[in-house]
Amino acid sequence: MDGGSFSSSIGDSIDFDEKDLSLSDKLKVFKASAYDPDSYVTNRCRQMSEKEIRHLCHYLKDLRKASAEEMRKSVYANYAAFIRTSREISNLEGQLIALRNLLSTRAAIVHGLAEGINVDSLASSDGSTQDDRSNNGDNDSINTESWLGQFIEKLEVLLAERRVDEVLDVLDEGEHMANDTHNKQTLTPSALLSLQKVITEQKQKLAAQLAEASFKSSVGGAELRSAVQALKRLGDGPRAHTLMLCSHQQKLHGNMQGIRPSGTSHGVAYSASLSQLVFSTMAQATSDSLSLFDDEPSYTSELVTWAVNQTENFAHLIKRYVIASPAASGCLRPVAESVHISLGHCSLLEARGLALSPILLKNFKPCVEQALYANIKRIEQCTAALAAADDWSLTYPPIGSRSLGTSSLAGVIASQPKLSSSAHKFNTMVQELCEDISPLEILQLSENTLEGVMQVFNSYIGMLVKALPGSVDNENLEGSVNRIVRLAETEPQQIALLANALLLSDELIPRAAAKLSSAQQSNKTDDTSKRSTDRQSRPIEQRELKRRLQRLVDQLRDSFCRQHALELIFLEDGGVRLSPDMYLNMEGSPEEIEWFPSTVYQEMFEKLTRIASIASDMFVGRERFATILLMRLTETIILWLSEDQNFWEEIEQGPKPLGPLGLQQFYLDMEFVILFASQGRYLSRNLQQVIKNIIGRAIEAVAASHIDPYSVLPEDDWFAEVAQIAIDMLTGKTQVGAMENVNSPTASSVLSHGSN
């Protein structure tokens, strides 16, 4: 099934390829009142292949993830309003309870007054009964007043002795007495009012005493919980919960006075101490709240609001005293360690139902990003400073550096590459950057970090290009800056530039990037589908990273090849060494010609031989790169020859035509290039085809002069023999006299080469 049919099979409501739809538009089909899951799946999967069903599953999973993220953002965006409304409801409930108590008290007063009026109206009707009641009333009054006095005295004594539980028991007894006498009418209204007044006053006095005790710095956890529990028994739960949180906050601020920031060097220690103190206090406050008040929404809302405020204050202190200055200067390590420690302590509260990490992320992420970008800038500056004085000699990294730790020298030699000083600094700082940022995977800065590494590597490649003598190609590199760089004057130094770029791109930068990937995997959940998707996407990301790195290395390699090709082709005064005159002037020469490859091709062979020898020492284990380097350098020279319009205009249209001797010399030069490139194992098909084309072009130029070119060319074996002897002589394997037997090809050796 093609892509079009697949898209149509999904339906009009959802199009997987439509990137411009908002999340709400994508979810419309699921919000419809007529939405039926079974019908939805049946209609869309009936004609779909297994691959398309997997595509649908991935799409729905991504949609579910985006929906959950959108809901989380919506909750956090409106959480303050929710908390404020909850607190207002809680306050309103407290006011309603107070109003109910007030109404009950006034109802008792009215009821008492009504009873008094009824007693007065009956006084005249029964004198004897009135006398008996009067006597009984006097006795009851005396007993009640006596009990009330004892009750008040007992409360005052218990309050003075701070025996809170006994005070609460006595108050409960008093309230029970008041309710009982109200129902049985055993107390006069005035006595009942006096009792209720005493209970209310003593409750207020006890509440004030408990509040005062909870704010003392010496109060312990058990004492605080007892005081809060007592306030709750008094019927003032909201005040009790608020006092509990205020007490924890007061104790937290007091303990924070003993933790003072002592400079940037000790900032991480300060962060660790302060983080442990703040989040352990919040953990204790959460435990107290849940144990004393359960999960009542009003108390939970107040707890969350209080915890958010404490987290905001903590983040402000850390930013002010620890991470602001290092972030501005590019010191990423103290910033990353402080944030990592804070997030670690904060995550422990999630088991208690407090997810405060988003608060820290909102406050810390800008600082971490600032430190990251400043650190990337610092890598570029430090590397440039060392490149200005780099002697471009390859050495092992210095012992004791962070990248080596305490490894033995033998282990260092076995595992560490040889680089120049600036490349060692670049590698060390990049490795440290990725190590520092990897624990902060929750901030989702891995992609920004890799982009920063690519940016500084691009800048470093620009400096390496500029280190090539006479190179101007650095102006074509993106983001290149005009910097002072020490020139690599010798061929070993110039090949060392390539070794720096190759080892960094092929091994060291991917190793640093793997640290970011490993950190992401360690923080992943146990979701099997997520792990499978990550395993599938990771090789793709790594291949893309290596492709981008390789493109930058190719720019340096091409600049190297172009520079050395120009050295061979042009003279120092601007003249051209690969000129047509070297072939056109051979006709009519009085001297006998000694057949040997032209000087420029001899030098080309010698240069390639030297470069191959140096590269074999520097690219141990990476011989393929050395082969490609030699291949590209050879192709650069031959391609220049094939595309030089001035050269071919002289050959094909010049006043002096190309003769048989010039054609034979040109043919010998090309066969010489093919032979030594083949023996060096860097002869490419492209090079063979280009040489074949330019030989054919030279043959056609001779044929245009009404000369049969194939009648004057010796056999191919003769060219191969001369080229091989030349290689042996140039490498010192054969003496000069070996050319005497092949210097003059005889007519009998002439063979028609055909049109191929």
Side-chain angles (χ1 to χ4, degrees), residues 75 206 260 330 409 445 474 493 524 578 645 696 721 730 746:
V75 169
L206 177 59
R260 292 289 184 180
L409 182 59
L445 293 176
N474 56 301
Q493 288 178 325
K524 294 292 183 184
L578 268 177
Q645 296 298 326
E721 184 180 0
L730 292 172
T746 62

Side-chain angles (χ1 to χ4, degrees), residues 314-315 318-319 323 339 342 360-368:
F314 164 76
I318 295 298
K319 285 198 298 184
I323 66 178
V339 173
S342 301
L360 293 181
L361 296 180
K362 181 185 69 174
N363 284 275
F364 288 155
K365 187 172 183 179
C367 294
V368 178

